[in-house]
């Protein structure tokens, strides 16, 4: 990962950068603090340039103007925040990303963090800082020709604020979240010959530096525990499977933990039910759920969240060699339930089945949320705009929905029910791992639900959001790190002491 941004927080004093960034409303009026910096004639300069370029101050839009001689800066960059009456709709992280998109490589900019027509809080400015950082993320360590040049051309952003100490304090927590998102993006973007189950586990172990307790279970231990469904997925690979348990103890001893579980298929060929060749390279991202959980544990530990949290990830590689699992095989999961393998490409639910059962049985959590790039069917239903949300608990589902709206990592609740559950009944075992095309994301969720007992649980199908993600103001990466901000917000709003 290359971080192409140097971010500083300073008081409203002398201009130091080459560019000046000013926020304007749809009336093209900047905040009083910005007008002081613009000097006499500032408004008329903005009005003339906006008229020439048809710039209307729409939220997140931008306009760059050559500064007049003697201004003390070289360029004036206007970024719109929209109507003053719609300020509650403004996403400050996206605003930071929009600003970052206007900054020049290798240039420095003073950003006047003041809004026209109203005050801006330290928390909102910190969100701007988060957006600046996330927009400037780049995964380029394998681009030998451009890597060093991009690093030497880092952008310098100086946020000019009224209360620098309050903003620095608020930004500290956002930097922890940004670090978690960037870690998740790095993991998803890595090639599969570099990031395989053992290597992923070793990278998760680095969280020990932040105070996270990390336990790595190898195949010998997994066999002893009885995770036969998970091990069945990886038995065709030369790479051994792993389960990693990460624990952050930020609340009182004995406080019931919250739990997050991630699917970590570091490469998915489909196994014997092999996938088509076209686009198979994207299956390096089939561990985006595990990446999110790892990034979330980083964020919680780095900001010292007052919560006890458990992150458990199942790491396997699904390959089609002579020892690979076959359609028609029957395996006994950790829960004791038997599973008929219909399609070896429906492998993620086998991994999660054992890890979910293990987590609820060992840790007795307050709730479990699992994330998985589980089904292509969720893309048919929701495209890449929302992750699919399935849950056995209305309160947990509603809290996830609200956290999604707040962070922009949105979810949409999908149905569960007895009729769908019946579709995964097997003639030869307790259940089958695939019910076919119809309702594919729902029947996959029904499969998972059979392995959670009565624990409040939510399943997030992130096949459309975790990899090959849409380009946004705060993400230009193939791997989005989706879910870290969502789940951190869930914890912060409802589960911290």
């Amino acid at each position: 990962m290359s971080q192409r941004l140097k971010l500083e927080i300073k008081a409203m004093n002398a201009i130091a950068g080459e560019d000046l960034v000013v926020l304007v409303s749809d009336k093209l009026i900047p905040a009083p603090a910005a007008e002081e910096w613009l000097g006499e004639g500032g408004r008329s300069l903005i009005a003339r340039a906006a008229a020439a370029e048809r710039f209307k101050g729409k939220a997140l839009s931008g306009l760059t103007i050559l500064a007049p001689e003697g201004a003390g800066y070289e360029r004036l960059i206007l970024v719109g925040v929209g109507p003053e009456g719609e300020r509650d709709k403004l996403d400050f992280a996206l605003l930071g990303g929009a600003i970052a998109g206007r900054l020049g490589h290798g240039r420095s900019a003073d950003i006047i963090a003041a809004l026209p027509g109203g005050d801006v809080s330290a928390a909102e400015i910190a969100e701007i800082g988060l957006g600046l950082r996330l927009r400037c993320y780049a995964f380029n360590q394998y681009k030998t020709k451009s890597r060093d040049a991009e690093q030497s051309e880092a952008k310098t952003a100086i946020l000019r604020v009224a209360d620098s100490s309050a903003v620095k304090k608020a930004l500290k927590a956002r930097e922890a979240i940004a670090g978690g998102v960037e870690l998740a993006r790095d993991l998803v973007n890595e090639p599969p010959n570099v990031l395989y189950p053992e290597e992923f586990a070793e990278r998760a172990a680095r969280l020990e530096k932040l105070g996270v307790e990390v336990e790595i279970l190898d195949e010998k231990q997994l066999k002893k525990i009885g995770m036969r469904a998970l091990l069945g997925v990886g038995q065709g690979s030369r790479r051994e499977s792993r389960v990693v348990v990460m624990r952050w103890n930020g609340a009182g001893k004995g406080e019931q933990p919250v739990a997050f579980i991630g699917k970590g298929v570091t490469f998915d060929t489909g196994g014997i039910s092999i996938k088509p060749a076209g686009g198979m390279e994207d299956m390096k991202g089939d561990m985006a759920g595990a990446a999110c959980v790892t990034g979330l544990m980083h964020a919680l530990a780095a900001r010292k969240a007052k919560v006890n949290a458990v992150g458990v990830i199942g790491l396997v590689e699904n390959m089609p060699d002579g020892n690979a699992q076959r359609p028609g095989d029957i395996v006994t999961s950790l829960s004791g339930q038997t599973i008929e393998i219909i399609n070896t490409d429906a492998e993620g639910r086998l991994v999660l089945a054992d890890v979910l059962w293990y987590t609820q049985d060992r840790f007795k959590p307050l709730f479990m949320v699992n994330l998985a790039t589980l089904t292509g069917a969720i893309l048919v239903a929701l495209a890449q705009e929302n992750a699919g949300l399935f849950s056995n608990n209305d309160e947990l589902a509603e809290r996830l929905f609200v956290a999604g709206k707040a962070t922009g990592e949105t979810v949409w609740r999908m149905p569960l029910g007895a009729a769908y559950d019946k579709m995964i009944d097997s003639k030869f075992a307790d259940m089958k791992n695939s019910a076919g095309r119809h309702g594919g994301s729902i029947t996959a969720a029904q499969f998972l639900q059979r392995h959670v007992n009565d624990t409040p649980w939510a399943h997030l199908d992130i096949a459309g959001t975790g990899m090959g993600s849409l380009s946004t103001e705060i993400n230009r990466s193939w791997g989005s790190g989706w879910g870290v901000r969502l789940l951190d917000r869930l914890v912060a709003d409802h589960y911290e002491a």
Side-chain angles (χ1 to χ4, degrees):
M1 181 266 291
S2 169
Q3 187 51 256
R4 301 177 295 174
L5 176 74
K6 297 176 183 177
L7 180 61
E8 302 175 20
I9 309 295
K10 292 186 178 180
M12 297 275 192
N13 50 29
I15 295 172
E18 297 164 299
D19 299 330
L20 178 63
V21 179
V22 172
L23 307 178
V24 296
S25 69
D26 62 333
K27 297 178 181 178
L28 304 179
I29 299 175
E35 287 201 279
E36 291 181 20
W37 284 45
L38 288 168
E40 189 175 346
R43 279 204 190 187
S44 62
L45 171 65
I46 291 172
R48 284 186 285 111
E53 296 295 331
R54 298 183 180 179
F55 175 71
K56 304 294 184 182
K58 182 180 177 182
L60 310 184
S61 63
L63 174 64
T64 301
I65 308 168
L66 187 65
E69 190 173 353
Y73 52 91
E74 298 174 3
R75 299 189 305 171
L76 174 62
I77 300 173
L78 306 176
V79 178
V81 296
E84 293 177 13
E86 297 181 6
R87 194 56 40 79
D88 59 330
K89 298 179 181 179
L90 184 61
D91 187 315
F92 285 88
L94 294 182
L95 178 60
I99 294 170
R102 290 276 166 179
L103 303 183
H105 292 291
R107 296 179 66 84
S108 59
D110 288 290
I111 303 166
I112 312 303
L115 288 178
D119 295 330
V120 57
S121 69
E124 289 167 338
I125 296 173
E127 282 289 305
I128 293 175
L130 173 63
L132 283 163
R133 180 167 166 177
L134 292 181
R135 174 62 178 264
C136 292
Y137 169 93
F139 186 83
N140 61 7
Q141 52 262 56
Y142 300 106
K143 292 187 174 183
T144 58
K145 293 182 180 179
S146 61
R147 179 183 56 212
D148 296 337
E150 285 189 4
Q151 191 64 37
S152 66
E153 293 182 353
K155 304 173 183 181
T156 299
I158 306 164
L159 277 170
R160 297 289 182 173
V161 300
D163 186 348
S164 58
S165 60
V167 172
K168 286 178 181 178
K169 183 178 179 181
L171 186 59
K172 191 172 183 180
R174 303 313 193 283
E175 288 177 337
I177 296 167
V181 174
E182 290 163 355
L183 172 58
R185 288 178 178 178
D186 282 349
L187 291 168
V188 176
N189 285 327
E190 283 283 11
N193 59 316
V194 172
L195 192 77
Y196 43 89
E198 302 100 311
E199 173 63 19
F200 196 134
E202 290 302 317
R203 295 201 187 188
R206 296 175 190 173
L207 295 183
E208 290 177 336
K209 295 177 181 178
L210 296 174
V212 178
E213 297 177 9
V214 181
E215 180 183 1
I216 300 174
L217 305 175
D218 62 20
E219 284 201 350
K220 183 177 179 181
Q221 292 168 296
L222 297 176
K223 288 175 184 175
K224 185 176 180 180
I225 292 168
M227 291 198 187
R228 301 173 195 86
L230 181 149
L231 289 170
V233 176
Q235 72 188 39
S237 173
R238 295 175 61 188
R239 303 290 191 183
E240 287 199 358
S241 301
R242 294 287 186 270
V243 168
V244 181
V245 179
M246 298 164 279
R247 303 182 69 178
W248 167 249
N249 299 310
K253 188 175 182 180
E255 288 286 328
Q256 194 174 9
V258 296
F260 304 95
I261 295 93
K263 169 190 171 182
V265 181
T266 59
F267 193 75
D268 181 22
T269 65
I272 295 298
S273 307
I274 197 163
K275 294 176 180 289
M280 193 192 287
E281 67 276 8
D282 287 350
M283 288 300 100
K284 69 176 187 175
D286 208 18
M287 32 56 69
C292 170
V293 171
T294 307
L296 173 66
M297 296 303 292
H298 172 105
L300 295 176
R303 70 174 182 82
K304 301 190 183 306
K306 296 177 181 178
V307 68
N308 291 342
V310 178
V312 189
I313 54 177
L315 305 173
V316 301
E317 186 178 64
N318 188 19
M319 299 290 282
D321 86 342
N323 193 47
Q325 189 165 247
R326 295 158 293 239
D329 284 358
I330 294 177
V331 297
T332 303
S333 69
L334 180 59
S335 69
Q337 300 173 94
T338 55
I339 303 166
E340 180 189 6
I341 308 303
I342 300 297
N343 188 330
T344 64
D345 194 23
E347 85 299 332
R349 65 203 69 180
L350 299 173
V351 173
L352 289 172
D354 277 351
V355 178
L356 283 166
W357 188 271
Y358 177 80
T359 302
Q360 60 85 28
D361 184 57
R362 177 179 172 184
F363 297 108
K364 310 295 190 292
L366 191 63
F367 68 77
M368 296 190 295
V369 175
N370 74 255
L371 301 96
T373 48
L374 205 64
T375 66
I378 204 65
L379 277 155
V380 175
L382 300 176
Q384 292 180 280
E385 303 300 328
N386 295 277
L389 164 64
F390 303 82
S391 184
N392 64 1
N393 184 276
D394 291 340
E395 180 181 68
L396 178 58
E398 178 62 21
R399 288 177 173 180
L400 281 164
F401 180 80
V402 172
K405 296 288 283 186
T407 58
E409 294 188 334
T410 54
V411 299
W412 192 260
R413 193 169 184 183
M414 302 286 285
L416 293 168
Y420 295 112
D421 194 65
K422 187 175 178 61
M423 291 170 67
I424 60 169
D425 286 343
S426 166
K427 295 179 182 178
F428 305 105
D430 295 326
M431 69 195 81
K432 55 188 177 182
N433 78 327
S434 176
R437 290 174 57 83
H438 293 169
S441 60
I442 303 173
T443 54
Q446 294 288 168
F447 183 95
L448 298 181
Q449 190 177 23
R450 292 195 185 192
H451 297 86
V452 301
N453 265 334
D454 296 323
T455 304
W457 156 81
H459 156 53
L460 299 177
D461 193 332
I462 63 171
T465 58
M467 58 177 178
S469 47
L470 295 173
S471 181
T472 71
E473 294 290 357
I474 58 173
N475 179 49
R476 289 296 193 269
S477 169
W478 184 82
S480 63
W482 192 99
V484 174
R485 295 172 63 227
L486 166 74
L487 297 179
D488 179 86
R489 184 62 174 261
L490 173 74
V491 171
D493 284 353
H494 300 288
Y495 300 102
E496 290 198 56

